[in-house]
Amino acid sequence: MTEKLGKFGDMPAGEFRRFGYQIVDQIADYFENIEQYPVLSQVEPDWLKGNLPTSAPEAGEDFADILGDVDRLIMPAVTHWNHPNFHGLFSTSTSSVGVFGEMFAAAFDMKAMLWRTSPASTELEDVVLNWLRQMMGLPAGFEGIIYDTASVSTMHAIAAARERAGVSVRDLGLSGRDDVPLLRVYCSEHVHSSIDKSVLTLGLGLRSLRKIACNERFEMIPEKLADAIEEDIEAGYLPICVIPTIGTTSTTSVDPVDAIADICEKYGIWLHVDAAYAGSTAIIPEMQPIFKGWERADSIVVNPHKWLFTPFDLSVLYCKDLNELKESFSLVAEYLKTSDASAVKNGMDYGIQLGRRFRALKLWFVIRYFGREGLIARLREHCRLAHLFASWVEASPDFELMAPVPFALVCFRACPAGVDDLNAFNERLMNDINASGDAYLSHTKLNGKFTIRLSVGSIRVEERHIEKIWKLLKGALATAVEAAK
Ligand SMILES: *Cc1c(COP(=O)(O)O)cnc(C)c1O
């Protein structure tokens, strides 16, 4: 350490500056050279643990040494989500300006609980979410709140739905009561596991979740939903919430939200739309028809950290009446009472967290830097590349599409002639590619069939990356067919 800021102080400013420049250089190099790394980390479990001391250092260490260990120990154990050939799960879309947002947020370290403790965070959140709402074509009534993840957004929506149903769980809870019937939440059988987690977290129990069958396009069948609700009401149960998905996790199928909204309206049930993945594409004018009916929802979740170029984490819950959320969660301890409470919005009133990160900043950077036009162009390109890949699959006798491609995810499998066990064959194909580090694919099962998923969403992805994965697949297929002989 070259300069000291007093014995008990922080890292001296000069040192911070020096390492700060170095880290920005390092991150810029990382983004520039990311294709040199294997997409999936090649380390074995416990490799990192085995290379680190089991207890904390007694004396402070030189930051140069610590930084050196990022290269030596952390990098090998990183799975490179930003790699343009990361096609598993849903690709991440993180951009560099988003990283700047994270730097400032950490530096300010505001705990955005009260307007007073964080005017910038509180007001910027409102402004940015209003921009996003307009871009997505949602009516003015919708107001948003930022959480960490869609899992948490959805949990809050279901809690608000439960309060609206009039069972006073906020005050009375569920335990020790015999006056509360079984509460029901409805979703399709292709729903994200975060919905299951929400009902178990909220003490509703997994049995409260009723999964509705889908058609051959993996979309919830509204008639089956209506039947299920009728049957449940007949049995004395209380339906509280229906959760259609726009862009399911397995296949990105789209539940018929408009028809489902009719049913929710008829029975007075809260409609929560899970658009965590696909919601950002509502900013593309020609995609708007896919979202028909979502403006009738009581709440909608959209994840800019998934597909709007914003680093994890930033999930938005839009509510038609944000006050309903407030009524479920507002609780003001004496030490949090302020004289301006009626005049301002206090973030802590809308969820279980007290302190909240300054997340709006990175989204503000992203939206301003790319502009609506730039965001639309990038999302369109991802969809174009996915459709291009899908066209190759369709044209090949050795591969087949397994689901429609409404966004930028392609579900497909290899189906070479003469192979009996296609499930085992495709699993091996995928695992071989993943093990090579050249690309990363993930899978789902559709009607019992092992299905490979290719997600296109990196801000760095180009046509050549899609060509590369197609070539890898064809090569691996030829090898596997040869081996099977
Ligand atoms: C990714 C995803 C989620 C969960 O997102 P988190 O922010 O990681 O909790 C929920 N629903 C859908 C449809 C998703 O694609």
Side-chain angles (χ1 to χ4, degrees), residues 369-441:
Y369 183 75
F370 296 110
R372 191 176 78 96
E373 240 175 49
L375 296 171
I376 291 174
R378 282 166 179 78
L379 295 178
R380 268 195 192 126
E381 176 65 3
H382 294 166
C383 295
R384 184 188 76 83
L385 293 176
H387 283 98
L388 181 66
F389 180 86
S391 72
W392 299 336
V393 168
E394 275 191 302
S396 163
D398 291 331
F399 290 90
E400 62 181 338
L401 275 188
M402 303 297 281
V405 184
F407 304 102
L409 178 91
V410 185
C411 289
F412 66 101
R413 68 170 180 174
C415 54
V419 175
D420 293 333
D421 188 349
L422 283 177
N423 280 0
F425 184 87
N426 278 279
E427 188 166 3
R428 191 155 12 95
L429 194 69
M430 184 188 82
N431 287 341
D432 286 351
I433 289 176
N434 290 346
S436 73
D438 291 331
Y440 177 48
L441 296 161

Side-chain angles (χ1 to χ4, degrees), residues 236-473:
Y237 302 158
L238 181 59
I240 58 168
C241 188
V242 179
I243 309 183
T245 306
I246 299 182
T248 59
T249 309
S250 256
T251 69
T252 70
S253 60
V254 178
D255 290 330
V257 174
D258 208 32
I260 292 168
D262 288 340
I263 297 168
C264 289
E265 225 165 73
K266 176 173 170 196
Y267 295 98
I269 306 173
W270 185 289
L271 174 61
H272 173 65
V273 175
D274 183 354
Y277 162 69
S280 39
T281 63
I283 70 172
I284 307 174
E286 67 271 20
M287 301 286 261
Q288 266 292 320
I290 295 182
F291 293 84
K292 187 169 165 16
W294 80 329
E295 72 286 348
R296 300 170 66 189
D298 294 286
S299 56
I300 298 172
V301 58
V302 177
N303 273 4
H305 74 220
K306 210 163 224 170
W307 202 11
L308 205 64
F309 312 105
T310 307
F312 191 79
D313 48 8
L314 198 164
S315 173
V316 184
L317 180 70
Y318 281 103
C319 285
K320 194 163 266 169
D321 180 3
L322 207 54
N323 266 324
E324 286 192 79
L325 202 61
K326 191 171 173 181
E327 281 159 17
S328 306
F329 286 102
S330 177
L331 197 73
V332 186
E334 187 54 40
Y335 48 83
L336 293 169
K337 286 187 180 148
T338 49
S339 51
D340 55 17
S342 58
V344 297
K345 186 170 172 182
N346 292 321
M348 66 171 193
D349 286 338
Y350 300 89
I352 55 170
Q353 272 189 292
L354 175 59
R356 307 168 65 252
R357 271 158 44 71
F358 188 2
R359 295 192 182 90
L361 190 65
K362 55 187 171 183
L363 184 56
W364 187 54
F365 283 2
V366 165
I367 296 178
R368 287 188 64 182
Y369 183 75
F370 296 110
R372 191 176 78 96
E373 240 175 49
L375 296 171
I376 291 174
R378 282 166 179 78
L379 295 178
R380 268 195 192 126
E381 176 65 3
H382 294 166
C383 295
R384 184 188 76 83
L385 293 176
H387 283 98
L388 181 66
F389 180 86
S391 72
W392 299 336
V393 168
E394 275 191 302
S396 163
D398 291 331
F399 290 90
E400 62 181 338
L401 275 188
M402 303 297 281
V405 184
F407 304 102
L409 178 91
V410 185
C411 289
F412 66 101
R413 68 170 180 174
C415 54
V419 175
D420 293 333
D421 188 349
L422 283 177
N423 280 0
F425 184 87
N426 278 279
E427 188 166 3
R428 191 155 12 95
L429 194 69
M430 184 188 82
N431 287 341
D432 286 351
I433 289 176
N434 290 346
S436 73
D438 291 331
Y440 177 48
L441 296 161
S442 65
H443 79 283
T444 186
K445 267 224 170 110
L446 298 176
N447 301 320
K449 295 173 185 165
F450 189 97
T451 300
I452 303 178
R453 294 165 73 265
L454 174 118
S455 162
V456 183
S458 167
I459 197 162
R460 272 162 270 281
V461 72
E462 297 168 25
E463 195 164 320
R464 66 187 169 90
H465 300 109
I466 306 303
E467 283 163 2
K468 177 178 136 186
I469 181 69
W470 182 232
K471 216 160 132 188
L472 285 169
L473 279 160

Side-chain angles (χ1 to χ4, degrees), residues 216-249:
E216 72 293 344
R217 297 168 57 88
F218 313 105
E219 303 157 347
M220 192 196 291
I221 303 170
E223 294 75 21
K224 298 246 187 222
L225 171 68
D227 290 349
I229 291 171
E230 283 285 347
E231 192 181 284
D232 282 351
I233 292 173
E234 189 76 15
Y237 302 158
L238 181 59
I240 58 168
C241 188
V242 179
I243 309 183
T245 306
I246 299 182
T248 59
T249 309

